[in-house]
Amino acid sequence: MSNDNTVGDRWSHHRDLDTFLDQREKLLAKAETEEDRQGWSRLLLHHAVDFASKICGEEVIKDAYGSAIEGDRQDALDKIARRLSVVQSIYSPFDKLETPGSLWSAMSEVRAIANGDEPKLFAKLDGRRRRYRLALTKLRALEWEAYLKALGVGSVERRARITVAYGYEWDTIYRWGDDIKSTLGADRVDTALRQAVLLHKHDMGKMLTGESSWEEALKADGLKHRKEMGFSVVPG
């Protein structure tokens, strides 16, 4: 990188930092309750981390993140633990060691599981038999209905596409709503469906799954549901 570009980047970073500091005061001043303040603080922290990432540069972030997980579950757990250690440093002044709910305890748990221990923090909660992952895949089907409707896709076509992707008749998929709400909560489901409608202005495929188009993303979501159900059939 040339010196001119380096100087330009520094000026740009200084400008972005000034903007961030100004916005921080304005946003926190808007908080009327403790819940509001926590929400704005989380948003500000997201922006601060994004700013730090830009300062480091894509190459540094890529190297720190590490290679793709291609090995077994132990390899995956080891890499997740290393990545959590970076995230944990953000909260280090308040993230108490080995305190339930802390990122440090989560990182320690992942490392313990990777080395053969039974999960403790991540063990299944007593008395809960709801299939959370399955509910999420079902919710995505209803999100697709809301998204494609907002996109202007006719009811016959959009429901046919969802049916093909998920492998169920539309009447069955439509009735998933009550089951999903009992597992995830009505507020979460309603919020997800409202957001799906707003996403019609963008490419839901790229934003949510990284696929090249919403058609491919829908197929990928249907396949994810089938796998969660234990099916081996790949949608056409």
Side-chain angles (χ1 to χ4, degrees):
M1 181 180 292
S2 69
N3 289 334
D4 288 343
N5 286 337
T6 301
V7 172
D9 287 343
R10 288 183 176 181
W11 277 112
S12 176
H13 293 328
H14 281 301
R15 184 181 64 247
D16 290 343
L17 177 59
D18 288 339
T19 300
F20 171 80
L21 293 175
D22 289 341
Q23 290 300 316
R24 181 187 66 178
E25 300 307 319
K26 291 178 181 178
L27 289 176
L28 292 179
K30 290 182 178 181
E32 298 180 356
T33 65
E34 183 65 22
E35 185 178 358
D36 286 343
R37 187 176 180 85
Q38 290 177 357
W40 286 121
S41 294
R42 284 192 294 269
L43 178 63
L44 285 166
L45 190 55
H46 275 294
H47 286 302
V49 172
D50 182 60
F51 178 62
S53 297
K54 291 178 180 177
I55 293 175
C56 291
E58 184 175 320
E59 186 174 348
V60 171
I61 300 300
K62 180 180 178 181
D63 289 342
Y65 188 75
S67 59
I69 297 172
E70 298 176 350
D72 55 16
R73 288 183 61 239
Q74 182 173 3
D75 176 54
L77 290 167
D78 284 337
K79 288 178 178 175
I80 290 171
R82 287 200 295 272
R83 292 163 186 171
L84 277 173
S85 69
V86 177
V87 179
Q88 190 272 336
S89 66
I90 298 173
Y91 295 101
S92 57
F94 309 99
D95 202 58
K96 305 300 182 182
L97 303 185
E98 302 300 338
T99 301
S102 69
L103 285 174
W104 183 274
S105 64
M107 180 176 61
S108 299
E109 174 87 342
V110 170
R111 284 178 171 153
I113 295 172
N115 285 281
D117 280 7
E118 291 289 332
K120 293 182 179 179
L121 179 63
F122 295 156
K124 186 175 181 180
L125 296 175
D126 293 336
R128 297 196 179 187
R129 298 183 179 277
R130 299 180 299 181
R131 299 186 65 181
Y132 179 82
R133 294 188 186 92
L134 181 60
L136 288 179
T137 66
K138 288 182 174 181
L139 173 59
R140 184 54 62 82
L142 300 185
E143 287 180 86
W144 278 112
E145 160 71 3
Y147 170 78
L148 293 176
K149 181 178 180 180
L151 197 63
V153 180
S155 61
V156 174
E157 180 183 354
R158 68 176 182 264
R159 291 171 182 176
R161 286 179 176 271
I162 296 171
T163 294
V164 170
Y166 278 77
Y168 293 90
E169 294 298 323
W170 174 251
D171 286 346
T172 299
I173 295 174
Y174 179 77
R175 289 196 297 270
W176 285 348
D178 291 340
D179 179 52
I180 297 169
K181 288 182 178 180
S182 68
T183 301
L184 302 178
D187 288 344
R188 178 171 182 178
V189 173
D190 292 341
T191 298
L193 296 180
R194 286 197 301 270
Q195 290 176 340
V197 171
L198 296 175
L199 281 174
H200 83 276
K201 299 178 181 179
H202 310 282
D203 189 324
M204 186 166 166
K206 291 180 180 178
M207 292 186 68
L208 299 183
T209 67
E211 298 290 345
S212 59
S213 66
W214 68 257
E215 291 91 344
E216 292 301 316
L218 174 55
K219 289 181 181 179
D221 281 338
L223 180 58
K224 185 183 297 182
H225 172 77
R226 291 175 179 230
K227 287 181 177 179
E228 189 62 36
M229 289 293 295
F231 300 155
S232 59
V233 179
V234 178

